[in-house]
Amino acid sequence: MRIRAGRSVFRRARGDSPVKRAAIHLVLILSCVVSVYPFLRVVSVSLRPSNQLLSTSLAFVPPGASLENYRALIFERDFTIWLWNSLIVSAASVLVGLMLAATAAYAFSRWKFPGRRQGLLFLLTTQMIPAGMLLLPIYVMVVRLRLFNTYTGMTIAYSVGSVPFSIWILKGYYDTIPRELEEAALVDGASPLAAFWRVVIPLSTPALAIAGLFSFMTAWNDYMMARVMLQKADMFTWPVGFQKLMDQFQTAWGQFAAASVLVAIPALALFLYSSKWLVSGMTLGGVKE
Amino acid sequence: MALTWDVVTRGLGEIGRLIGIVAAVVIALETMAYLVLHKLLKCKYSLPLMLLLPALVGVLALIVYPFGFNVYLAFSNMNMFRFKDFSVGISYGITNLLDVFRLPVLQKVTFLQLLGRTVLWTVVNVVFHVLGGLALAILLHRPMKGKGIYRTLLVVPWALPQVISALAWRGEFHFQYGFVNLMLERLGLRPVPWLSDPRWAFVAVVLVNIWLGIPFMMVVLLGGLQSISQEYYDAAQIDGASGWQQFRSITMPLLKPVLTPAVILGVVWTFNNFNVIYLVTKGGPMEGTDLLVTSMFKAVFEFYRYGFGAAYAMVIFVFLFIFSAVYLRLSGGFKGAWES
């Protein structure tokens, strides 16, 4: 939905006095400063040379600014390994999760089998279990299966968490694909599974992408599960690694800041790029015109 | 130590093997289901059931079974010294459950204190999220220059990975070098012992979480405002309603369908928030900022009281479950979700 220019909550806003308009801009500018400043400060700390790491200066570009922290981070720390671990575990859990969710959502969308309603409701209920609650049982299971400190254990722990949500998203999308398309394929002699694979899956790329992105982000940004499952430094995902850096505040603050900048910039770019659709996509059940 | 070719190939090998195994298990399950349901039982719904089976197995193995296992552990005396050879019995379950209420959950803080603090935390945060988000949404909804830039900058706290912002805030609350105190000093105020005084630490985590949560509400409410038809305001204008009257009798009621689910989501997220507390203060100092979820995590993974932790998790779950059930009743459930 386009934002309609010239309309406002208060119609009288159109005749706002210059003072009122200036006040509004002032409030918005102050809010923007509050919202952005902490990150700017991270950027600033990341540029500090190591002998001025702990300084009481508030200057944005610190005196003697250098990229030393970035160099030390990349070549002397496990930073690249942390990123790699996060990447591989997140990507694998997306693949496993989608493999399970894509077919299940299809069953929910196309057949009215007994227990369908209860099944969907059950999937919704699982979302109310607080994350920390399944942590202990999964931890015990993983230790017993000797999957502690492994990519396999992490992937398994992450993959199923997002399956219920993915099923909901995909089911909603499949519902919008006309059945006639599959029926045409069936008439041409394809089996129901082939019709699903050749017709429905290619058409639902956007929904698969959204469900995949959501699962990826959940695994990528998780701290709690990783903190419990990973003890070996070379298996850390980035959130655990960053936390270890921050624990050495006096010595590694600059490297933590550099690491944050490197991880946050792609995340910010992705988010801001998609924020065009955010406002219209987030109406959460509001009636749209 | 940097990323080497060895690490990459080892990782890819392990993940490749895992995905291969999962795919093989999925195919095996489906074939078996097909043979049993279709050929043997001639079931009418063999195809959908077969498609459902892999996800069903996954959910059973990693959500339902752990849930049940948690209940089982709640009736055990499992702890650091009895990780492998713990025993299970009703009496242990009762002891664990009573311990939740009669003893400090960690070292000092009791369950009731934690519950009260968690409720306070949730209410304060959600109120400020909604008020802040609503104010910004209303300001942004008017025609003006630079709206796009404002909106982009204002969603930054939401766009940053939470772990990063929480850890960065922890650094910035440092007594001597954090910008919060540096700024207070520039303004001629006394620096605040943010992370060493329990009360100030609680204020600090609340401030961080308010900062984090406003953009979400702002975006949701902005979407809601945009969906309200201008005609209502035109009509009200003709009737001579003031701006405040329009806000009260048009904006607020029409915003409600958007606001209610957003508030529910906000409450559940805030209630369960682990990252902000654990990464900014670790629940300290002196357990002064621990909430239910963080104290559960600490009881299990720092004090190694597994049986007790499992019972404690059940208690917290019951509270959340009652809240969700009441909400579902009040909001009329998820009607229409399965009718299509």
Side-chain angles (χ1 to χ4, degrees), chain A residues 77-114:
Chain A
R77 297 273 177 179
D78 296 342
F79 178 66
T80 45
I81 295 192
W82 299 335
L83 283 189
W84 166 252
N85 290 341
S86 276
L87 184 71
I88 193 168
V89 166
S90 311
S93 54
V94 169
L95 277 178
V96 173
L98 283 186
M99 226 190 303
L100 302 183
T103 53
Y106 189 61
F108 277 120
S109 168
R110 289 298 194 258
W111 283 275
K112 297 233 181 305
F113 51 89

Side-chain angles (χ1 to χ4, degrees), chain A residues 28-170:
Chain A
L28 284 174
I29 289 170
L30 277 179
S31 313
C32 287
V33 169
V34 172
S35 105
V36 177
Y37 185 78
F39 184 65
L40 289 182
R41 175 83 176 159
V42 170
V43 177
S44 161
V45 170
S46 77
L47 297 172
R48 283 183 188 174
S50 50
N51 59 352
Q52 283 173 35
L53 190 55
L54 299 175
S55 99
T56 52
S57 152
L58 283 174
F60 177 66
V61 179
S66 77
L67 295 176
E68 164 62 23
N69 286 320
Y70 290 87
R71 193 201 60 76
L73 174 77
I74 292 171
F75 294 106
E76 288 163 22
R77 297 273 177 179
D78 296 342
F79 178 66
T80 45
I81 295 192
W82 299 335
L83 283 189
W84 166 252
N85 290 341
S86 276
L87 184 71
I88 193 168
V89 166
S90 311
S93 54
V94 169
L95 277 178
V96 173
L98 283 186
M99 226 190 303
L100 302 183
T103 53
Y106 189 61
F108 277 120
S109 168
R110 289 298 194 258
W111 283 275
K112 297 233 181 305
F113 51 89
R116 168 172 179 270
R117 217 189 100 143
Q118 289 79 358
L120 281 171
L121 201 59
F122 168 74
L123 289 178
L124 210 62
T125 324
T126 60
Q127 300 301 289
M128 288 162 194
I129 303 175
M133 190 176 163
L134 300 182
L135 206 56
L136 168 63
I138 290 182
Y139 167 75
V140 176
M141 283 162 67
V142 162
V143 170
R144 286 190 176 171
L145 294 172
R146 295 171 191 275
L147 292 174
F148 194 61
N149 261 329
T150 61
Y151 294 122
T152 313
M154 291 295 288
T155 306
I156 290 177
Y158 284 141
S159 58
V160 174
S162 50
V163 162
F165 183 80
S166 302
I167 291 181
W168 268 88
I169 290 201
L170 289 168

Side-chain angles (χ1 to χ4, degrees), chain A residues 1 3-4 6-13 16 24-25 27-29 31-32 34-39 41-42 54-56 58 77-78 80-81 84 88 92 95 100 103-104 106-108 111-114 116-117 120-122 124 128-130 132-137 139-141 143-144 150-152 155-156 160 168 171 175 192-193 221 223-224 227-228 238 242-243 246-247 249 253 256 260 263-264 267-268 271-272 278-279 282-284 286-287 289, chain B residues 1-3 7-8 11-12 14-15 18-19 26 45 47-48 50-52 54-55 58-59 61-67 69-70 73 78 83 86 136 139 141-145 147 150-155 157-161 163-164 167-172 174 176-177 179 182-183 186 211 216 220 223 226-227 230 233-234 237 243 246-247 251 257-258 261-262 272 274-275 278-279 282 296-297 300-302 306 313-314 317 320 324 334 337-338 340:
Chain A
M1 193 174 61
I3 297 157
R4 288 149 303 176
R7 297 191 170 186
S8 64
V9 186
F10 305 131
R11 184 59 156 219
R12 295 193 308 180
D16 281 342
I24 290 171
H25 279 283
V27 171
L28 284 174
I29 289 170
S31 313
C32 287
V34 172
S35 105
V36 177
Y37 185 78
F39 184 65
R41 175 83 176 159
V42 170
L54 299 175
S55 99
T56 52
L58 283 174
R77 297 273 177 179
D78 296 342
T80 45
I81 295 192
W84 166 252
I88 193 168
L95 277 178
L100 302 183
T103 53
Y106 189 61
F108 277 120
W111 283 275
K112 297 233 181 305
F113 51 89
R116 168 172 179 270
R117 217 189 100 143
L120 281 171
L121 201 59
F122 168 74
L124 210 62
M128 288 162 194
I129 303 175
M133 190 176 163
L134 300 182
L135 206 56
L136 168 63
Y139 167 75
V140 176
M141 283 162 67
V143 170
R144 286 190 176 171
T150 61
Y151 294 122
T152 313
T155 306
I156 290 177
V160 174
W168 268 88
K171 177 206 166 277
D175 285 347
L193 281 187
N221 288 326
Y223 169 78
M224 204 193 315
R227 153 73 218 274
V228 168
W238 72 259
F242 282 26
Q243 195 253 332
M246 204 55 199
D247 274 354
F249 180 80
W253 193 18
F256 159 76
S260 299
V263 169
L268 273 175
F271 195 92
L272 296 181
L278 215 55
V279 174
M282 288 289 301
T283 40
L284 279 181
V287 189
E289 292 165 66
Chain B
M1 190 165 33
L3 190 58
V7 178
V8 172
L12 286 179
E14 190 180 332
I15 289 300
L18 171 68
I19 290 175
V26 165
Y45 296 107
L47 197 60
M50 174 185 141
L51 291 172
L52 268 179
V59 169
L62 285 151
I63 298 180
V64 177
Y65 175 74
F67 191 90
F69 195 53
N70 190 68
L73 286 179
M78 191 188 204
F83 188 72
F86 59 92
L136 289 174
L139 291 183
H141 188 56
R142 36 181 78 225
M144 66 171 146
K145 278 186 201 145
K147 188 147 87 170
Y150 286 136
R151 205 178 55 212
T152 307
L153 293 179
L154 287 172
V155 294
W158 185 16
L160 286 173
V163 172
I164 291 183
L167 287 170
W169 274 108
R170 175 171 144 206
E172 299 302 355
H174 191 275
Q176 211 177 342
Y177 304 114
F179 81 77
L182 291 176
M183 285 198 175
R186 301 279 148 105
W211 178 83
F216 169 76
V220 168
Q226 284 172 9
S227 69
Q230 185 61 30
Y233 296 107
D234 294 343
Q237 203 100 61
Q246 290 180 31
F247 176 75
T251 313
V258 181
N272 279 325
F274 174 83
N275 282 349
Y278 194 78
L279 294 176
K282 281 219 163 141
M296 175 180 90
F297 182 91
V300 172
F301 294 105
E302 286 172 17
Y306 298 110
M314 297 302 300
F317 175 73
L320 261 177
S324 310
F334 291 83
W338 46 77
S340 53

Side-chain angles (χ1 to χ4, degrees), chain A residues 214-234:
Chain A
F214 176 83
S215 327
F216 187 89
M217 284 307 180
T218 315
W220 176 258
N221 288 326
D222 168 79
Y223 169 78
M224 204 193 315
M225 186 77 84
R227 153 73 218 274
V228 168
M229 297 283 178
L230 305 170
Q231 300 289 321
K232 267 166 61 189
D234 61 348

